[in-house]
Amino acid sequence: DESVFSYRVGGILVRDGKILLQRDNAGDHAVIGGHVSFLETTAETLKREYQEEIHAEIHVDDLLAVQENFFMWGNKPCHQVHFYYAVHLKQDTIPLEGVFSGYDELGGERVDLDFVWVPLAELSNLSVYPREIGHLLEKHDGVMHFVSNELE
């Protein structure tokens, strides 16, 4: 009751030198993904989240990174474990450039979101979660592991 544990997964969709990100009303950007449900694999979660948020079918590719993340969730400290995968579209059923609308649900409430194709060269100019997005997009041998601690 005094803290939060969160198990999440994010899909990194890069195409033609651009990455697809979600953007909230405050202008913050994030990798598309969500919380893993009980008895659901991370790949199943990603497929479900992409279907729910932008009505797109994806193929889940390689695991790129695992993040241990510590931050405040409202007034409670949160310990989050986050898996990041490369993904690609099974079919081109969404706009492949610009901005388009979608939504997510958080706590049973609808949250309207924009989905934005951002040129990779412009990522450093934006507020993007995870902040380490640039490192995730670099070529690595094996799976990258990183820790983000905003509680220190």
Side-chain angles (χ1 to χ4, degrees), residues 18 20 94-100 115-118:
K18 297 175 185 171
L20 183 62
I94 61 171
L96 299 177
E97 58 184 47
V99 180
F100 59 98
F115 293 87
V116 184
W117 287 100
V118 176

Side-chain angles (χ1 to χ4, degrees), residues 2-17:
E2 296 175 13
S3 60
V4 176
F5 179 77
S6 172
Y7 175 30
R8 289 184 56 91
V9 63
I12 298 177
L13 176 56
V14 176
R15 185 174 173 141
D16 298 329

